[in-house]
Amino acid sequence: MKKINRIHQFDNGLVLLAEEMSWSNSVAFAILLPCGSIYDPKDQLGLSSLTCEMSLRGAGLLDNRHFLQALENLGVQSSETVSQSYSVFCAAMLPNNLSKTLELYADLLRRPLFPEDQLEPSKQVIHQEIQAVEDEPSRKMMIELGRNFFPDPWGRPSFGTTQGLKAISLEAIRRHHQDCYQPNGAIISIAGSFDWNELKKQIETLFGDWQPYPLKKIEEKNIGSFVVHIPYESSQTHIGLAFPSVPFNHPDYLLAWSGCGILSGGMSCRLFSEVREKRGLCYTVSASYYTHQNRGAVFCYCGSRAAQAQEALDVLISELQKLSQKGIEQPELDRLKIRAKSSLIMQQESSIIRAGSIARDWYHLNRIRSMEEIEQKINALSCEVINEYLAAHPAQPFRLVTLGSESLTIANDLLG
């Protein structure tokens, strides 16, 4: 199945990426905009999420109901996500409906109605997400871990705060939209069945006169604490442990990712085996790799009974240290490669997953990685190379956040 990658940058800075999959019966796109929580004013946290929500409530000549109905009539499967760095609008459809769908999204991005009567309902949607965190202690703990690990504003949750939402006016949304919904820093990635020349011509027609603006400058401030405990009356204790890693654009990224994959990702992985299965210290445990453009991290989560929480934390730290000190073994690497290749196969079969992947590649790497390149690098992984990296980059220093009835202890020389 031959795939052809296309790249074109327009005069206003907009980047169009496309991967032709002529055999596919679908086509999908991901539109990435420089509009995330890092750009929210400190007194209006949640502005990017609210701007995204409001942009969906009517655009061009169509009000809220008719805009959503138009997407449904085209059979579009859509989703929206706001992260710290950007907002992403994704859509998948039949190839014959790509042109009309792009027209609708051009209105959504450039000509949203921002109806005044939809402001409060939109705020309520975001507010419910904020309130939902209180009912999910594990999520609440992990949000606090991110806030204390990454320097502000990179650790902010995208949905903001109740106080921030209250302070946001319709005029503030319009200004934020003008500053952030713009071609400078924007990416449109498309994967599936399409005609490249027709696509490029339509994108030029829809977005070629889009006015660029300078990107907002980000001022960083490290306001986090090394150890945080959130009092919470419960028989369970939620443990979050984070340590620095390399970002996605670093040459050693795949080695860092491999170490995390050995720790977590299946029932045979180390954390599940050592902390849960052998000792019964928790009901769930995991490690996940996170990355921004210029920094990476591994976040570990463990949910345990309060009486066993300290031991669970101690064993978790021990396994992280053991990974650096003793490295990985060949059977572990073999299983990791199989999981990675299975993921690649699913990407090849899904236009919407592939559209998101090539957008992420461009955002972090300023290029598109082919499936063949990724597979070759996975095949080339060896225990020797990974173990050299792990020994040179031990899982430390840590930042710890716990949520439960009692706080836990960690040695001071492990923090930083």
Side-chain angles (χ1 to χ4, degrees):
M1 297 182 292
K2 187 177 180 180
K3 297 183 178 183
I4 302 174
N5 289 328
R6 310 280 192 175
I7 302 170
H8 181 79
Q9 184 164 11
F10 297 92
D11 292 339
N12 59 7
L14 175 66
V15 174
L16 174 63
L17 312 172
E19 186 166 278
E20 295 182 50
M21 302 157 62
S22 57
W23 46 267
S24 177
N25 293 320
S26 68
V27 63
F29 60 75
I31 303 175
L32 184 152
L33 301 169
C35 187
S37 57
I38 59 173
Y39 300 108
D40 293 351
K42 291 183 179 179
D43 60 344
Q44 298 179 44
L45 299 182
L47 180 56
S48 292
S49 286
L50 187 57
T51 301
C52 174
E53 179 66 29
M54 283 289 289
S55 70
L56 297 167
R57 300 193 176 228
L61 300 176
L62 301 177
D63 62 17
N64 181 22
R65 182 171 65 86
H66 289 95
F67 184 85
L68 296 177
Q69 189 175 69
L71 290 176
E72 290 182 358
N73 290 342
L74 293 170
V76 176
Q77 297 180 4
S78 62
S79 64
E80 306 78 36
T81 305
V82 179
S83 69
Q84 284 83 5
S85 305
Y86 45 76
S87 297
V88 182
F89 295 85
C90 297
M93 70 236 62
L94 296 175
N96 290 340
N97 292 331
L98 174 61
S99 178
K100 292 181 179 179
T101 305
L102 285 171
E103 291 176 3
L104 289 172
Y105 273 83
D107 282 337
L108 183 153
L109 299 178
R110 303 189 59 189
R111 292 170 288 274
L113 298 181
F114 292 145
E116 187 172 1
D117 65 347
Q118 293 297 310
L119 179 58
E120 287 306 315
S122 296
K123 285 187 177 184
Q124 285 301 314
V125 170
I126 309 300
H127 182 62
Q128 287 182 40
E129 185 174 0
I130 295 173
Q131 289 183 312
V133 173
E134 298 301 319
D135 296 326
E136 300 178 48
S138 60
R139 186 182 177 201
K140 180 177 181 178
M141 183 277 300
M142 293 300 285
I143 288 172
E144 191 65 22
L145 181 61
R147 185 183 285 116
N148 283 275
F149 181 87
F150 292 113
D152 185 67
W154 295 97
R156 297 174 179 174
S158 61
F159 47 74
T161 64
T162 299
Q163 184 177 0
L165 283 178
K166 290 180 179 179
I168 299 172
S169 65
L170 200 58
E171 182 57 33
I173 293 174
R174 292 194 176 104
R175 288 196 304 268
H176 196 61
H177 174 268
Q178 177 177 292
D179 291 341
C180 297
Y181 280 52
Q182 54 135 328
N184 185 20
I187 300 169
I188 299 179
S189 62
I190 298 181
S193 180
F194 57 87
D195 182 278
W196 168 247
N197 291 325
E198 290 183 6
L199 173 64
K200 187 169 67 171
K201 183 178 179 181
Q202 184 183 19
I203 297 297
E204 173 71 49
T205 300
L206 295 175
F207 299 101
D209 61 344
W210 202 5
Q211 182 66 39
Y213 292 89
L215 293 176
K216 290 184 177 181
K217 293 183 179 180
I218 304 301
E219 296 182 4
E220 294 185 359
K221 182 179 180 182
N222 195 339
I223 60 173
S225 301
F226 298 138
V227 178
V228 174
H229 176 66
I230 305 172
Y232 190 86
E233 288 303 319
S234 173
S235 60
Q236 300 171 343
T237 296
H238 301 272
I239 304 168
L241 196 67
F243 60 90
S245 185
V246 297
F248 187 80
N249 59 15
H250 194 280
D252 290 335
Y253 154 73
L254 197 57
L255 303 179
W257 173 87
S258 298
C260 187
I262 297 299
L263 289 170
S264 182
M267 289 186 291
S268 61
C269 291
R270 289 197 182 182
L271 295 184
F272 187 92
S273 175
E274 297 296 329
V275 186
R276 186 183 188 275
E277 292 298 287
K278 289 185 179 180
R279 296 174 175 85
L281 295 174
C282 65
Y283 56 89
T284 184
V285 62
S286 63
S288 302
Y289 172 84
Y290 287 88
T291 184
H292 295 301
Q293 273 192 318
N294 298 314
R295 54 174 58 87
V298 174
F299 278 33
C300 302
Y301 169 73
C302 182
S304 174
R305 289 194 303 160
Q308 296 177 304
Q310 183 63 58
E311 186 180 358
L313 172 61
D314 294 341
V315 174
L316 172 60
I317 293 173
S318 175
E319 289 303 315
L320 295 175
Q321 293 175 325
K322 190 184 300 182
L323 185 69
S324 301
Q325 295 165 357
K326 298 185 178 181
I328 70 171
E329 298 177 354
Q330 190 62 47
E332 294 177 307
L333 180 57
D334 293 340
R335 290 192 293 269
L336 178 68
K337 287 183 176 183
I338 290 173
R339 295 204 313 269
K341 290 178 182 179
S342 297
S343 177
L344 285 178
I345 291 173
M346 287 187 284
Q347 281 194 39
Q348 292 177 15
E349 295 177 348
S350 171
S351 58
I352 196 164
I353 293 177
R354 189 58 186 149
S357 295
I358 62 178
R360 186 180 72 158
D361 277 0
W362 191 268
Y363 176 78
H364 287 283
L365 307 174
N366 207 36
R367 69 183 185 89
I368 300 174
R369 300 176 302 163
S370 68
M371 292 286 100
E372 291 75 19
E373 176 191 347
I374 299 173
E375 185 173 8
Q376 287 174 3
K377 289 187 175 181
I378 291 173
N379 287 333
L381 288 172
S382 68
C383 289
E384 180 182 4
V385 174
I386 295 174
N387 289 340
E388 287 179 359
Y389 169 83
L390 293 174
H393 300 82
Q396 198 175 320
F398 295 118
R399 296 218 174 193
L400 171 68
V401 174
T402 56
L403 184 151
S405 57
E406 296 182 6
S407 61
L408 306 180
T409 61
I410 183 172
N412 288 333
D413 62 349
L414 298 178
L415 301 173

